[in-house]
Amino acid sequence: MPFVKLALIGFGNVGQALARLLLRKEVEIKNRYDITFQVNGIATARHGIALSEAGIDLNQALELVRTGRSFDKLSAVHIEDMEQFIRQC
């Protein structure tokens, strides 16, 4: 079974909709396509950058955005900028 690590660049309306879709369809993706996945990074201009080898809780990320808070507590490492984020991913 393939395991796919995902990184989202941007978490506006489209990124959030994708996160909700991934959450809603996770079991179907596994059963139908035999693929499991994990979001390991999210980078935004407004809420900061989160990167975690253990994975990022998408429900928590969505809640942080909804309440206007930073992704700082989601990240296992400190990332300075987008270039570093891409290299770390």
Side-chain angles (χ1 to χ4, degrees), residues 11 16 19-24 26 39 42 56-67 69 71 74:
F11 207 61
Q16 290 174 58
R20 286 187 202 94
L21 183 64
L22 289 171
L23 288 167
R24 196 170 64 246
E26 184 172 8
V39 175
I42 304 174
I56 293 173
D57 181 336
L58 289 177
N59 285 311
Q60 190 175 11
L62 289 164
E63 179 63 16
L64 289 171
V65 168
R66 188 186 71 74
T67 57
R69 292 183 285 163
F71 283 162
L74 292 179

Side-chain angles (χ1 to χ4, degrees), residues 21-89:
L21 183 64
L22 289 171
L23 288 167
R24 196 170 64 246
K25 298 288 188 173
E26 184 172 8
V27 173
E28 181 180 341
I29 291 169
K30 181 180 178 184
N31 292 338
R32 190 171 194 177
Y33 303 105
D34 201 31
I35 295 172
T36 58
F37 63 88
Q38 179 178 51
V39 175
N40 291 86
I42 304 174
T44 72
R46 181 174 291 164
H47 301 283
I49 296 173
L51 187 64
S52 175
E53 185 64 31
I56 293 173
D57 181 336
L58 289 177
N59 285 311
Q60 190 175 11
L62 289 164
E63 179 63 16
L64 289 171
V65 168
R66 188 186 71 74
T67 57
R69 292 183 285 163
S70 167
F71 283 162
D72 288 344
K73 70 184 210 172
L74 292 179
S75 194
V77 295
H78 179 71
I79 302 292
E80 291 292 326
D81 56 34
M82 192 64 73
E83 184 178 333
Q84 184 184 9
F85 174 77
I86 291 169
R87 277 187 275 128
Q88 291 285 330
C89 285

